[in-house]
Amino acid sequence: MAVVGAGSWGTTFAKVAADAAERNADDGTICLWARREAVAAEINDSHTNSQYLDKIRLSQRISATSDLREALSDANVVVLAVPAQTLRAQLHEIRDDIAPGAVVISLMKGLERGSDARMSEVIGDELGIEPAQIVVVSGPNLAMEIAREEPTASVVACADEEVATRIATLISAPYFRPYTNADVVGVEIGGIVKNVIALAVGICDGLGMGDNTKASVITRGLAETTRLAIALGGQLETMAGLAGLGDLVATCSSPLSRNRTAGRLLGENLSATEVGEAMTQTAEGMKSAHAVLDLARRNDVEMPIAEAVVGVLDGRLTIEGMARQLLGRDLKSETNISRESD
């Protein structure tokens, strides 16, 4: 297995795969690509990645390199854990180095700005591979908790059930329980939109609002996510599962969430530019929010929370104006799951 990206989630996923190999008495190895040589050297010498995972020990099955082609050599499973907006350029660079027939796993939760493409669509487009070779892993995936081996369930989605089962087996560690799902669209949309909703919840934190407010945003955010997923061909059941509700709750409620943290800073009256400068890791919702709203508009899906978040990010809407805009909407039935806003 090659894991492209040695940030918190990429490194944690490599750890999960290595620990699963130990559990299954598998002789598989994992090569982790790090952009910086110093990170690769620390992983190889000390078996830690202290910038992202503190002192957590990594399996000796994991090796690291700053040479991307070396990492991909002979890998029959390629895991992508890079920022969503850099994916296409990175794939264009390495597509000839990925082995024919390799399964490509996306850990990314974003939409490509400009094309509004999901990450699985970008992978298929750039690599020219079939959907049966593309897997999406999503769910409540707060990296530090998983790296600390706190029990976690997740979702492995693929159009081919056998491939999904194979990958689920490869990453079934004592503390990491994967479930399979054929609804790739729903799984991806759940992971994408929850980042935008987490920004809104973080804004509530920054404003000092209470749990009633945040619970309301989470619940209505799930309704928005569900409308968009269904409009794109996703399944209602997926939104009630780990990749929908589960991921949304984790990202909106945990102080480990980058998107909630970014939202809190926005709520404390930092500009989007200032928030970006203050964050040490990418808050994907800030990058994908515009694409989410554009995708919704092209599919006639109203998403008032996403629209308000984008207004704040663009500086067109104040934090106080965001609250007034959301609370001043026309009264509707709560149970409406049509494309129109409720």
Side-chain angles (χ1 to χ4, degrees):
M1 180 183 292
V3 180
V4 180
S8 56
W9 186 209
T11 305
T12 296
F13 192 84
K15 180 184 187 303
V16 168
D19 293 346
E22 293 280 357
R23 177 189 197 179
N24 299 330
D26 189 348
D27 60 359
T29 59
I30 296 92
C31 188
L32 182 59
W33 175 74
R35 187 178 300 276
R36 292 183 291 118
E37 174 60 37
V39 173
E42 180 189 348
I43 293 170
N44 290 329
D45 297 341
S46 304
H47 304 292
T48 58
N49 185 349
S50 57
Q51 179 179 350
Y52 296 105
L53 298 182
D54 198 18
K55 298 178 181 179
I56 291 172
R57 298 281 296 178
L58 303 175
S59 168
Q60 294 191 15
R61 288 175 180 262
I62 301 172
S63 63
T65 179
S66 58
D67 185 330
L68 189 49
R69 287 174 173 79
E70 178 185 341
L72 294 169
S73 179
D74 299 324
N76 58 18
V77 177
V78 176
V79 183
L80 301 172
V82 299
Q85 306 311 320
T86 70
L87 176 63
R88 188 178 295 275
Q90 198 129 38
L91 289 176
H92 185 77
E93 179 184 344
I94 64 175
R95 59 186 173 189
D96 293 336
D97 299 295
I98 296 176
V103 173
V104 179
I105 301 176
S106 169
L107 302 186
M108 299 157 293
K109 298 177 179 180
L111 287 177
E112 184 181 50
R113 295 186 69 168
S115 71
D116 302 335
R118 293 175 283 111
M119 295 297 97
S120 66
E121 293 177 313
V122 175
I123 292 167
D125 185 33
E126 279 297 317
L127 299 183
I129 58 178
E130 296 299 317
Q133 286 179 254
I134 303 171
V135 171
V136 174
V137 174
S138 192
N141 298 144
L142 294 165
M144 183 57 78
E145 290 189 2
I146 298 172
R148 291 196 297 246
E149 302 188 8
E150 298 178 15
T152 302
S154 196
V155 176
V156 175
C158 182
D160 187 313
E161 185 177 349
E162 290 185 6
V163 174
T165 300
R166 172 191 164 201
I167 298 303
T169 301
L170 284 179
I171 61 173
S172 180
Y175 52 90
F176 192 81
R177 170 65 160 89
Y179 290 81
T180 59
N181 193 326
D183 180 16
V184 175
V185 172
V187 168
E188 282 192 289
I189 292 299
I192 293 163
V193 181
K194 59 93 183 182
N195 288 330
V196 181
I197 306 306
L199 288 174
V201 171
I203 289 171
C204 295
D205 275 333
L207 290 171
M209 294 181 176
D211 291 335
N212 285 341
T213 305
K214 288 180 279 190
S216 300
V217 172
I218 291 171
T219 306
R220 299 315 309 153
L222 180 61
E224 290 191 15
T225 308
T226 301
R227 285 198 295 269
L228 182 59
I230 291 175
L232 295 172
Q235 302 299 313
L236 180 63
E237 293 82 1
T238 301
M239 294 300 99
L242 290 163
L245 178 62
D247 201 7
L248 180 66
V249 169
T251 305
C252 290
S253 61
S254 174
L256 295 174
S257 165
R258 288 172 285 184
N259 290 282
R260 178 182 160 181
T261 298
R264 176 178 55 77
L265 295 174
L266 289 169
E268 293 171 354
N269 281 321
L270 271 70
S271 68
T273 299
E274 290 170 331
V275 171
E277 292 171 350
M279 300 284 292
T280 58
Q281 297 186 61
T282 301
E284 194 61 63
M286 294 186 66
K287 303 290 186 180
S288 296
H290 293 80
V292 167
L293 186 57
D294 186 54
L295 187 64
R297 287 171 174 168
R298 287 198 291 110
N299 287 275
D300 298 320
V301 177
E302 288 195 44
M303 300 184 69
I305 297 175
E307 186 171 350
V309 168
V310 169
V312 170
L313 292 174
D314 287 348
R316 295 182 287 100
L317 191 64
T318 65
I319 298 298
E320 294 76 12
M322 174 181 176
R324 288 195 299 271
Q325 178 172 304
L326 290 173
L327 291 175
R329 297 183 64 82
D330 292 341
L331 302 182
K332 300 286 181 67
S333 167
E334 182 192 23
T335 56
N336 177 23
I337 307 294
S338 70
R339 297 184 181 193
E340 295 181 356
S341 170
D342 55 347

